Amino acid sequence: MDQLKQEIKEVIISSLQLEDITPENIVDDAPLFNEGLGLDSIDALELGVALKKKFGVKFSTDNEESKKVFSSVNTLAEFITAERAKAN
């Protein structure tokens, strides 16, 4: 799971062009939006597309479900792991 979290952090940085941030700067359970990394809804869309390309997962269009999934690196990793398990 640590490798997956590292990959997620790299996707966050590259897809959102966060030049001043390294994967080590992103805490696994820290919020990605608002007080955390400070991402916004447009960042969420871009990140969703990048994660879909990288990991082949589809995200729910349900706003509440998406908020939970995109709340931290941990929740993204859990979602991707679960989706991969369903696919196998």
Side-chain angles (χ1 to χ4, degrees):
M1 181 88 82
D2 286 340
Q3 178 61 36
L4 176 59
K5 290 178 186 179
Q6 180 70 19
E7 289 179 45
I8 291 169
K9 291 175 185 181
E10 290 170 3
V11 170
I12 291 169
I13 292 166
S14 65
S15 67
L16 302 178
Q17 300 173 353
L18 303 176
E19 295 151 1
D20 297 337
I21 296 180
T22 66
E24 294 76 29
N25 296 133
I26 302 173
V27 180
D28 291 350
D29 61 354
L32 296 177
F33 295 87
N34 301 324
E35 70 276 354
L37 273 182
L39 303 184
D40 60 24
S41 59
I42 293 176
D43 294 329
L45 291 172
E46 289 179 27
L47 181 56
V49 169
L51 291 170
K52 182 179 177 182
K53 283 182 185 175
K54 172 81 175 171
F55 299 107
V57 295
K58 291 184 180 180
F59 296 96
S60 171
T61 56
D62 178 351
N63 198 29
E64 287 306 309
E65 169 101 11
S66 293
K67 281 183 182 179
K68 289 177 189 172
V69 170
F70 281 86
S71 63
S72 70
V73 170
N74 282 342
T75 56
L76 281 168
E78 290 165 9
F79 176 80
I80 291 168
T81 300
E83 289 298 302
R84 284 178 168 174
K86 284 184 204 174
N88 291 332

